[in-house]
Structures are given as C-alpha cells and as structure tokens.
Amino acid sequence: MPSLRTTNGRGRLYESILDTIGDTPCVRVKIGVPADVRLYVKAEFFNPASSIKDRLAISIIEEAERDGILKPGQTVIEATSGNTGVGLAMVCAARGYPFVATMPTSVSIERRKLMRFLGAKVILTPKADKAIGCYKKAVELADANDWFLARQFESEANAKIHENTTAREILADFSGDRLDYWVTGYGTGGTFSGVAKVLRAERPETKIVLSEPANAQLIQSDLKQKRTSDGSPDGSHPAFEPHMIQGWTPDFIPAVLQESIDEKRFDLLVPIDGQDGIDASKLLAQKEGIFTGVSGGSTFSVALDIAKGAEPGTVILCMLPDTGERYLSSPLFEDVGEDMNEVELALSFSTPGFHLNE
Ligand code: PMP
C-alpha cells in the first residue's frame, strides 16, 4: 500500500501575491503518446492570475518603475486579447496603479469581467477593427491622458522576462535530461523569443517548434509586416484571417517576434487548425485532468504529432499558456450543456428520490 499523501509547505512565506509568479511545473502527459517517448507540458495556469502573461505584467511594471517612466499612482493602459489584461489588472491592483484595458469585442466575456473584478476599466473596440484597432485606441487614450502604455508588443521587458524566468526554469527542470523539442505558439512572440534565445545558446540540440493558426500563417507566408518608424505595425498583415486560437497570432507581426524570425530561432514551423486545438484541449481535460485553453490545446496537438513520429527516448516539452476556465462562453465549451443530458436524466431517474420533474 502506498503511504498516505502528505505535503510540507513551500518552506517560505510570501510578502505579495506577485512573488508567486513563475516556477510553473512541467507535467508528463501520456494520452496518445508512444510509451517510449516522454511528453511534458509546462502548466502556466499555475500562475496567480492563471496565465503565462502574469510574467510579462510584473516585468513591464517593474522595469518601468525602475526606469522612472511609471510614476506612483499613474494610470497604466494596454491593448490586450485578455490574459495580459488580467495579469496587468492583478499587478496594478497589488501595486496601487489604476489600470485601463482596450480589448476587441471578439475576446471572451469572462476576460472582461475578470479584469473589471480586479478593479480595471475595460474599453471595448469593434471586432471589425481587429487587434490593430484595439492597439490604436490604447495609444490614443494614453496620449490624451498622459497614461503609461505597457506596449507588450514592442517592450524589451517582454522577451527578457521569458529569458530570465521561463527559460531558466526549463533549463533547471531538464538539467541532466534530454530535451529534444520545445513547442510553442506566439501572440506577442515574447514566450517564443525569450525562451528560444536561451535554448539556442544553452541547449543547442533542442529543436524549437513554432506554431501558428492554419488560416493565419503570417510567418509561413514570408510577406513583410509594414511598420512605422517606431517599430509599431502599420496596418494588418496580408496573410491574416480571423482564427479560433485566442491569444495567438494578432493581425500583425509584433516587433518582439520579428527579431526572432529574422534570426531564424525556430527549426520547424507547423500550422494548426483551431478545431484540432479545441479537440486536443478536451482530450487533455478528459483523459489527463489537465485544464487549459485553446492555445494550450493547439500547442499540445502539435507536440502530440511530433511525439507520434518520434524515435524512442525522445523528450518533448510544450507550453500550456492559460486555464480553460477563461473560455466558458467560447466555442471550447459549445457542446457542454447547463441542463442534464439524456444519460444524466436516465441516471437521475434510475433511483426513486430527489429527481427534477420539470
Ligand atoms: N496563449 C494565450 C491564451 C495568450 O493569451 C497568449 C498571449 N497573448 C499566448 C498564448 C502567446 O504568448 P506570447 O504573447 O508570449 O507570444
């Protein structure tokens, strides 16, 4: 008999919720993976506001404080597809800054509500104006009010925090072990750029796999992103189509991502259909008890394909950027009902008491 499970605490006390960001676990997944291959997921939903973007949020605020460009009590503003906004809302609440998010109406309702619950103001922009419209609204509001614009798409603090935390954690957790593939998608490109830079230098044998939506293959298209003189995007990328993988691939190639594309810091570029991502997210939830969103499912689906064709002994790590709970109102939960289905009703009526009669 195995002994009863016990825990010992973390061996330290925390001064702030912000000190709990990072150090997320890499967890083995077996479903669909050949027995002689090891596939791990880096579970970023362990961050305090449940996504990888908590790392970026604390990094941008602390760098701006250090550089003196963010003044005590100054309002922070950012254009966000959701997770950055939730992360910044948490950091700003803990550090005493008012926070305003601009967000297209296309992202899920729960993200708006979460930010507002954390004390933020959310300014919605039309879906038709895409991410770039949302971005321009944030610039407009920042200029008009002298607010601090977080600039996740251009800030050096973005990739840097992944070099200094995400990548370091991967190096430490796989120290003395194989790591043949690291798989990720991109939104701002911060995760990819930061981790890939460190892996290239310190684990050059690790193949870096970058994925993008099958109907929005901006990188694969090889078409240049037009930019203004400050590096910000000047119009939508011609290969962009609206896709189902929230948080991935905005309608432009961010400056944070561009450098890593130019430096070719990836070995494989793999398209993934959003529906395959949704299916893989359900598989992870129902067969492994691992609860992640559509981008996590998409990354896992790409990793699973690699695992299926890999030679014995191969070790793969893929990123799971956020929690599935952020998608309750989205297509991820489309076929999950509120009322009892036929099977559940039959079970309910199979014993005499306590069943609903309406
Ligand atoms: N998945 C989700 C759900 C996200 O919100 C983001 C960030 N926009 C990403 C993936 C991609 O992360 P990054 O911005 O570091 O490329």
Side-chain angles (χ1 to χ4, degrees), residues 41-60:
V41 295
K42 190 159 170 64
E44 290 294 315
F45 48 78
F46 274 88
N47 282 300
S50 309
S51 95
I52 194 162
K53 306 302 291 211
D54 293 359
R55 298 176 187 265
L56 162 91
I58 187 66
S59 174
I60 283 187

Side-chain angles (χ1 to χ4, degrees), residues 14 33 61 68 84 94 97 116 180 192 245-246 266 318 351:
Y14 292 85
V33 182
I61 297 301
T84 298
Y97 301 104
R116 289 182 173 133
D180 301 284
F192 160 61
I245 312 173
Q246 282 186 42
F266 57 92
C318 86
T351 59

Side-chain angles (χ1 to χ4, degrees), residues 53 81 83 186-191 246-248 295 321-322 327:
K53 306 302 291 211
S81 69
N83 282 325
Y186 66 87
T188 61
T191 310
Q246 282 186 42
W248 268 21
S295 68
D322 71 353
Y327 301 83

Side-chain angles (χ1 to χ4, degrees), residues 29-234:
V29 170
K30 294 193 176 162
I31 185 72
V33 182
D36 48 13
V37 170
R38 282 183 290 144
L39 170 51
Y40 294 87
V41 295
K42 190 159 170 64
E44 290 294 315
F45 48 78
F46 274 88
N47 282 300
S50 309
S51 95
I52 194 162
K53 306 302 291 211
D54 293 359
R55 298 176 187 265
L56 162 91
I58 187 66
S59 174
I60 283 187
I61 297 301
E62 285 186 342
E63 295 251 325
E65 283 173 340
R66 210 172 302 128
D67 295 345
I69 41 176
L70 175 59
K71 308 282 178 317
Q74 191 181 3
T75 296
V76 175
I77 183 165
E78 183 59 325
T80 163
S81 69
N83 282 325
T84 298
V86 176
L88 277 170
M90 169 186 67
V91 173
C92 288
R95 285 280 170 89
Y97 301 104
F99 175 60
V100 178
T102 63
M103 206 160 73
T105 52
S106 49
V107 300
S108 68
I109 304 276
E110 44 276 50
R111 294 178 192 219
R112 299 178 204 173
K113 290 202 174 188
L114 276 172
M115 281 179 229
R116 289 182 173 133
F117 193 80
L118 283 160
K121 292 192 174 60
V122 178
I123 310 298
L124 295 170
T125 59
K127 184 177 169 182
D129 292 336
K130 298 181 240 179
I132 210 152
C134 166
Y135 176 90
K136 286 188 171 158
K137 188 73 187 173
V139 174
E140 237 177 60
L141 282 167
D143 287 348
N145 296 289
D146 195 25
W147 289 344
F148 171 71
L149 180 62
R151 290 193 180 276
Q152 60 167 333
F153 293 104
E154 288 97 30
S155 171
E156 287 185 7
N158 186 348
K160 203 191 287 175
I161 193 69
H162 293 289
E163 279 177 51
N164 292 342
T165 66
T166 321
R168 294 286 138 202
E169 294 163 26
I170 294 170
L171 290 183
D173 289 351
F174 287 87
S175 147
D177 201 346
R178 282 175 70 160
L179 181 57
D180 301 284
Y181 295 91
W182 177 69
V183 189
T184 188
Y186 66 87
T188 61
T191 310
F192 160 61
S193 297
V195 175
K197 198 170 179 184
V198 172
L199 288 180
R200 277 283 194 255
E202 308 214 15
R203 297 290 299 244
E205 80 284 7
T206 303
K207 290 202 167 48
I208 295 167
V209 184
L210 186 61
S211 184
E212 54 184 357
N215 65 333
Q217 297 187 48
L218 273 53
I219 301 178
Q220 182 63 49
S221 76
D222 227 7
L223 298 167
K224 281 262 164 309
Q225 173 68 50
K226 288 204 189 101
R227 292 185 195 286
T228 59
S229 52
D230 69 354
S232 55
D234 189 11

